[in-house]
Amino acid sequence: MRVAIFTDETGWHTRQIQQALRARGAEGRCVDLADCRIDTAASWHGLVIPGYGRELPDAALVRGIAGGSFEQVTVRLGVLHALRELGVPVYNDARAIERSVDKSMTSLLLHAAGIPMPPTWAMESPAQAQRLVTRESAAGRALVLKPLFGSQGKGLRRVGCVDGAHVPLPSLKAYGGLAYLQRYVESPGFDWRVLVVGGRAIAAMRRCSAHWIHNLKQGAKVEPAALTPELATLAERAAAALQMDYAGIDLLPGADGPLVLEVNGVAAWQGLQRVTPFPIARALVDDLLDRKLAAARAATGGARRA
């Protein structure tokens, strides 16, 4: 079996996946989606995936998609869409990545599924956004301004009533001209990251920090966390709402129970592995091969168009 590992950078995560694939008798080749192309003259399927000649991989696992222009990212996602349509199981596929990378769509789908989360707004009008911030501030509440496509805690700012003082909305130029705002929830010094694989929560950790941002890239420390039925069920519901094969779910303690903050469709797990007794990459690979690839082969009778 040949599995394409789509990533824009190689390192610890890709080595873990390749090792887990080798243990299953499969080959994992790292491929940058920026190096793939559509070429309808090259083969019956019209794709060129470096390292696969005129053939297609048996499966694909997405570890990263490089940023670029709207047109570049559209074509890269188009390659993933095409692979799915051609019968190649993609883990997570383009639809799931689109749902999770766009925080506004994530919020809409979580809300529609009845999953508890902080009140959330997304709007283009600076005047409307400023009125929202002023109204929330007058009620003694703060909001968190986030980049719509951001990750790792970068670019987060608190506005509204922050430490008893009013903080106005900044220029939205650095945020793509869009205000994505979530009501700020006071943290007890930690949040949870729960990893869901194949619809089942398999591991959890607490990310601890004196700062209100708890991402590891922002200096948070990790410690083991009990995967309680409450956390597991909520994380599984969140992953199901976005139809994810695997997902890192960020949750924060709330007054009435945990709240889902974000769903990560290309989740890193290096920090989580430190406090998890089993190899996470093996769990991902086993789910890809035993569930997703097996289902795809069963649906096609094990044959691919020649």
Side-chain angles (χ1 to χ4, degrees):
M1 289 179 291
R2 299 191 302 168
V3 178
I5 305 169
F6 287 119
T7 179
D8 57 323
E9 57 182 31
T10 58
W12 183 87
H13 287 88
T14 52
R15 289 194 298 270
Q16 292 286 306
I17 294 169
Q18 288 175 316
Q19 181 180 346
L21 285 167
R22 284 194 298 270
R24 291 292 307 270
E27 174 197 69
R29 177 186 293 272
C30 292
V31 180
D32 192 335
L33 279 166
D35 295 328
C36 300
R37 67 182 188 273
I38 294 171
D39 185 344
T40 59
S43 61
W44 67 265
H45 49 74
L47 292 176
V48 175
I49 311 295
Y52 291 92
R54 294 170 60 86
E55 304 301 319
L56 293 173
D58 296 294
L61 190 152
V62 181
R63 265 303 312 152
I65 302 174
S69 68
F70 178 79
E71 291 81 2
Q72 289 172 323
V73 174
T74 296
V75 171
R76 292 167 195 169
L77 288 171
V79 170
L80 298 182
H81 279 296
L83 286 171
R84 184 194 70 244
E85 296 299 326
L86 291 164
V88 177
V90 182
Y91 192 95
N92 285 304
D93 71 20
R95 296 169 299 179
I97 291 173
E98 287 166 350
R99 295 182 190 110
S100 61
V101 74
D102 175 357
K103 291 186 177 66
S104 64
M105 179 55 65
T106 299
S107 299
L108 277 175
L109 293 172
L110 294 176
H111 177 70
I115 293 170
M117 55 179 286
T120 304
W121 300 264
M123 59 192 74
E124 292 187 40
S125 168
Q128 289 179 349
Q130 195 65 263
R131 284 195 294 270
L132 169 66
V133 171
T134 301
R135 186 179 72 231
E136 290 287 297
S137 183
R141 293 189 289 258
L143 299 170
V144 179
L145 174 65
K146 301 181 179 183
L148 189 69
F149 302 125
S151 63
Q152 300 179 344
K154 297 176 182 177
L156 272 59
R157 296 182 63 169
R158 285 190 297 175
V159 295
C161 186
V162 180
D163 298 327
H166 176 70
V167 177
L169 189 74
S171 167
L172 298 178
K173 185 176 181 180
Y175 294 86
L178 184 91
Y180 174 83
L181 296 152
Q182 270 191 334
R183 186 172 290 166
Y184 175 70
V185 178
E186 192 68 41
S187 164
F190 71 90
D191 68 2
W192 293 286
R193 162 63 66 88
V194 178
L195 184 66
V196 177
V197 176
R200 185 171 64 89
I202 65 168
M205 68 177 175
R206 295 205 320 176
R207 302 183 299 185
C208 306
S209 173
H211 195 268
W212 63 274
I213 300 175
H214 300 303
N215 295 78
L216 269 64
K217 291 291 186 179
Q218 304 301 321
K221 306 300 181 183
V222 302
E223 62 180 39
L227 186 54
T228 65
E230 183 180 34
L231 284 178
T233 299
L234 189 54
E236 289 166 3
R237 288 178 59 204
L242 273 68
Q243 301 179 33
M244 316 292 287
D245 290 312
Y246 78 103
I249 314 296
D250 296 340
L251 306 101
L252 191 67
D256 299 314
L259 302 169
V260 173
L261 292 181
E262 293 188 7
V263 178
N264 301 275
V266 188
W269 67 87
Q270 190 167 13
L272 183 59
Q273 187 65 81
R274 298 176 204 160
V275 295
T276 302
F278 58 86
I280 291 172
R282 183 61 184 265
L284 294 169
V285 166
D286 285 348
D287 186 53
L288 168 61
L289 300 183
D290 297 338
R291 178 184 61 84
K292 188 132 186 173
L293 179 57
R297 287 182 166 176
T300 59
R304 180 174 289 153
R305 176 180 170 185

XYZ file of all heavy atoms in Angstrom, residues 101 103 147-154 262:
83
model
N -11.078 24.720 8.967
C -10.138 25.830 8.840
C -10.858 27.168 8.869
O -10.293 28.183 9.298
C -9.287 25.682 7.559
C -10.085 26.013 6.312
C -8.033 26.544 7.626
N -13.196 29.240 10.739
C -13.771 29.244 12.084
C -15.247 29.628 12.085
O -16.019 29.152 12.932
C -12.984 30.192 12.988
C -11.580 29.729 13.325
C -10.933 30.674 14.339
C -9.559 30.198 14.756
N -8.591 30.225 13.634
N -8.109 35.637 14.057
C -8.030 35.498 12.594
C -8.921 34.338 12.157
O -8.938 33.288 12.807
C -6.550 35.176 12.342
C -5.838 35.599 13.586
C -6.811 35.418 14.708
N -9.646 34.510 11.073
C -10.570 33.474 10.633
C -9.842 32.175 10.315
O -10.357 31.086 10.584
C -11.329 33.950 9.388
C -12.479 33.056 8.932
C -13.639 33.119 9.936
C -12.962 33.464 7.551
N -8.643 32.279 9.752
C -7.894 31.087 9.360
C -6.661 30.875 10.240
O -5.738 30.167 9.851
C -7.450 31.192 7.893
C -8.587 31.368 6.922
C -8.606 32.430 6.038
C -9.634 30.467 6.906
C -9.650 32.594 5.135
C -10.692 30.626 6.012
C -10.699 31.688 5.130
N -6.636 31.458 11.428
C -5.460 31.389 12.280
C -5.332 30.059 13.007
O -6.257 29.253 13.072
N -4.155 29.842 13.584
C -3.889 28.646 14.369
C -2.793 28.940 15.383
O -2.137 29.991 15.324
C -3.464 27.478 13.465
O -2.254 27.781 12.797
N -2.608 28.028 16.342
C -1.537 28.085 17.334
C -1.610 29.319 18.228
O -0.621 29.729 18.815
C -0.159 28.015 16.642
C 0.033 26.746 15.843
C 1.370 26.694 15.136
O 2.052 27.716 14.986
N 1.759 25.513 14.700
N -2.799 29.909 18.345
C -2.971 31.043 19.237
C -2.420 32.348 18.713
O -2.367 33.340 19.444
N -2.043 32.388 17.434
C -1.459 33.600 16.863
C -2.551 34.611 16.507
O -3.591 34.249 15.971
C -0.648 33.260 15.615
C 0.537 32.349 15.870
C 1.236 31.984 14.578
C 2.399 31.036 14.820
N 3.045 30.610 13.544
N -12.683 25.317 19.597
C -12.233 25.140 18.220
C -12.155 23.657 17.879
O -12.035 22.804 18.771
C -10.861 25.796 17.998
C -10.881 27.313 18.097
C -9.558 27.942 17.670
O -8.682 27.211 17.184
O -9.418 29.161 17.834
